[in-house]
Each structure stands twice: as structure tokens, then as C-alpha cells.
Amino acid sequence: MDDARYRELVRKDLAHWVHPLSHPSDHQEPLLYERGEGIYLYGHDGQRYIDGLSSLWNVAVGHGRRELAEAAARQMERLAFNSSYVGSSNEPAIELAAKLVELAYDNMQAVFFGTSGADSNETSFKTARFYWAMKGRPGKVKVISRVEGYHGTTLACMSATGMSMYYPNFEPRVHEIVPAASVEPMPSGGARIDPGNNNVDNIAETIEREGPETVAAVIAEPVQGGGGVHPPPPDYFRQLREVCDRYEVLLIADEVITGFGRTGRWFALEHFGVLPDLMSVSKAITSAYMPLGASVWSREVFETITGADPSVKFMHGYTNSGHAVAAAVALRNLAIIEEEGLVENAAARGEQLLNGLMLLGENRYVGNVRGLGFMCGLDLLQDPENDVPFDEEMRMGVRLRNACQRRGLITRIRGDSFVLAPPLVATAEEVDAILTIVEEGVKEVTGNL
Ligand code: PLP
């Protein structure tokens, strides 16, 4: 793109578009993406970049997939949209609901469609309340959430998000959504995890304190993503399931990032042999070729809610629920994931990526190398042995991100945590290319310390 056109677009962008998580001062020289192919993105600057985070953890099958464009076009020509409100339906969304139930945990029965991760979580929260009301316990309304969890930025989801940087000027949060530990800013922008997040005691204590008769659900990401990629200790989710059962509280798995193969299994709680009651999904369900999300319900939740008296309606709905084009794209996308063995590829390439990052751990400033499947993270630390962060002013995470971007790798940081989640189609050679760039970037930013 020529410079004059770029400048004109940036001027209009700054004048008319309020970006997510933004201040205009951070948007003076935005990277304008022009096209994508496979794991690569091409910018206005003529550069090719590896999409190291699958954009926003969502472009699972890679960019530029003609099959998905064709699936969308076919459905648009036939029927782009119909109401999915009660009494009307459409073929792709019906087939997708059945397919999701086939792929999801054994106890799952039905789905409620939305268009995003946040609205899927909203549906899960409201479903938990509705379920308990149907059980004759309408006082069970609260949702307990975890430190460093990310669940979206609607008012309820922001309240469940355990990162303080999302709250300023949007308070008060929804009081019935209760963090399981205090959400304080963490050193160095907050990346490393409060040890309290690694055992379930604070969840049990919070339920006790609030009163189990007031608590509807606990929400948790199987692997925390936005918080900086934090896989749980192996026994965490089994214990969390026990706590939920003990206090008669539903478990909502927020699999908006982890769903559809990201961790090397279709859904991440498979790693731990745990079944949730509700599951929120989005992102890789369409590989982001169309906006789509869903709250997936267990048989018990479904039968309790649909078994109510006909006068008791589930009065929750979005115009774009069960959008025919999004559903057609999702069906084709899930078929690609199956046909190309991308869940298995995520497991194998994830192991390669993690092993490569572990070698970087030999650098004296790299610590906490971690990952599950194709979701990995590491921290830059002044003293990794003792978990001592760099001074915030040094902005080590930003420097590493920039060093990688200059070398053609785009990804994300949280404080001084650096995370990677490449498209599930990445090959062994492409993972090696990512590792080479990260190694060079780490050397650059730690070289003269
Ligand atoms: N839940 C998790 C785990 C997420 O990572 C995200 C977004 O990154 C969301 C929910 C919110 O999704 P959306 O941004 O589509 O509303």
C-alpha cells in the first residue's frame, strides 16, 4: 500500500473508529493487515508476518481458506439469514448443534448459539441461574471466578475477568459475580500467577463465605489464555469438580480459547478426565471466518430447563442466534479440523514448540516456560530462580514483542509474559521458524543486561 493511502486510512481510523482496549496515542502507526495465507499475514508495509497467536487465538485452520469462503457464499446465496426464534429453524444450525454435541464431552446434550465468547459466557451465567430456579432454588445466582481469568468485557464478563486493568472507569462490577481471590495489580503488569490460583481452596472458601445457597456456578478456563497461558496443576480440575459437587454448584468451562483442538484435544478438560455442566465456546468454532459462539449444556441442564412447564419460557435470545451462514462455515471448518488431523497436529507441534522454548530457558532471564498443546508461554524475569520480575519501567515484554515483530513474528504479551498459539495447521518447519525468531528476540532484549 502506498504511503499516502496508508496515511489517509490512519487519519480516518483515528477520527472514526474506537478500537478495543485502546487509547488513540497507542494507535498512531497501526499495522494494517491486507491479506493472509496459512500461518502468514501480510501488512501494509509489504512485510510477511507469522501469525503467532492465530490472530486472537481463533484462526485455527489458517488464513485464506477458500473452502470456508465457498461455504459462506453458498449459504448466503441460498439463505443468508432467518429468525431462529422459537418456531423457526434452519438446516446448517441444526446440523451444527448436533455436530457440537457429538464432539463435546459425553454428558453434553444441546447448545444455545450466540456470536462471541462474551455472549456465550453471558448465556452460560443466565443458564446457571435458570437451572437453579427450575430446581426450586432461585437464590442460587452468584458466579465465582478466578484470578487472571479472562471471560470477555461485557459488564458481567468483565466482572468475571480477574484482571484489574479491565475495571477502571467501568465500575461498579456486577456484585453477584465474585472473584475467588482479590484481584490486585500484579508486579510487572501482572503476568505471573498468584499461588492461590493453583489450588481450589480459595474457590471453596469463597463459596462458603458467600453461602452455597447463593452460588449458581464457578467459571474457569481449562488453560488460562489472556492471563498469560497458565495450564493448571494436573489435579486442579478434578478437585474443582469435587468442590462444585460438594456445594451443588455448576461448573462452567470457558473453552473459548481451548475448544476445538488448541490444547491437542478437542476440548481441554479431556486432559483431566473432568466433565463440566456448561461450556462456552467461540473463536476456533469457525476459525473466525464468521462470528459465532455457543453455550453447550449438559443433559441434566437441558432436561431440567426444557422439562419445565410450557408457561416457563427461556426468555434469552440474540438476533443472530443460529445464524445460517456462520453455522455453514463452522460445519466446514470443523470438517477441515477433522480431515486434516489438526487436533493431533496441535498436540505434536505444541510439544515441539514447548520443547524448543524449554531450551530457551537456559537463558538466565527466561523462566516459567509452560504450555499445553499449541498454547505456550514464558516469562522474562530478572531472577527466574527466585521468581523476581524485572522493574516495570524496563518494559521487557514490550521489547521482546517488538523484537519478534521486527523479525516477522506477531504475538502477544501480558506484562513480561510472552505467549504463543500458532494456527493449528503450522508445520514442523514453521514451528522451527517461530522458535528461531523467539530465540533471536530473547537474545536481543537480554543481551546487554
Ligand atoms: N473467554 C475467553 C477464555 C477468551 O479468551 C475470550 C476472548 O479472548 C472471551 C471469553 C471473550 O470472547 P469475545 O472477545 O469473543 O467476546
Side-chain angles (χ1 to χ4, degrees), residues 56-57 115-119 121 150-153 221 223 225-226 254-258 282-283 412:
L56 284 175
W57 322 85
T115 55
S116 71
D119 76 41
N121 279 332
Y150 183 81
H151 301 292
T153 59
E221 295 160 87
V223 178
D254 182 343
E255 299 231 22
V256 167
I257 286 179
T258 53
S282 185
K283 295 196 187 275
R412 249 182 127 181

Side-chain angles (χ1 to χ4, degrees), residues 38-41 49-63 221 223-231 256-264 283-284 287-288 342 345-347 349-354 357 370-378 404 409-414 417-427 430-431 434-435 438:
I39 70 159
Y40 299 103
L41 288 163
Y49 296 94
I50 296 174
D51 187 359
L53 201 77
S54 306
S55 289
L56 284 175
W57 322 85
N58 47 4
V59 186
V61 301
H63 296 275
E221 295 160 87
V223 178
Q224 290 187 327
V229 177
H230 299 291
V256 167
I257 286 179
T258 53
F260 309 104
R262 170 59 56 195
T263 68
K283 295 196 187 275
S287 288
L342 297 184
N345 194 58
R349 301 283 69 82
E351 206 179 313
Q352 179 191 352
L353 184 62
L354 185 60
L357 294 177
R370 55 196 181 264
L372 187 66
F374 228 4
M375 222 178 149
C376 296
L378 58 80
C404 290
L409 170 67
I410 301 222
T411 187
R412 249 182 127 181
I413 52 164
R414 162 124 173 83
S417 276
F418 176 87
V419 301
L420 289 164
L424 307 190
V425 289
T427 62
E430 288 168 339
V431 171
I434 291 170
L435 285 166
V438 179

Side-chain angles (χ1 to χ4, degrees), residues 276-290:
D277 302 292
L278 296 164
M279 170 168 73
S280 304
V281 294
S282 185
K283 295 196 187 275
I285 191 172
T286 56
S287 288
Y289 281 71
M290 288 293 289

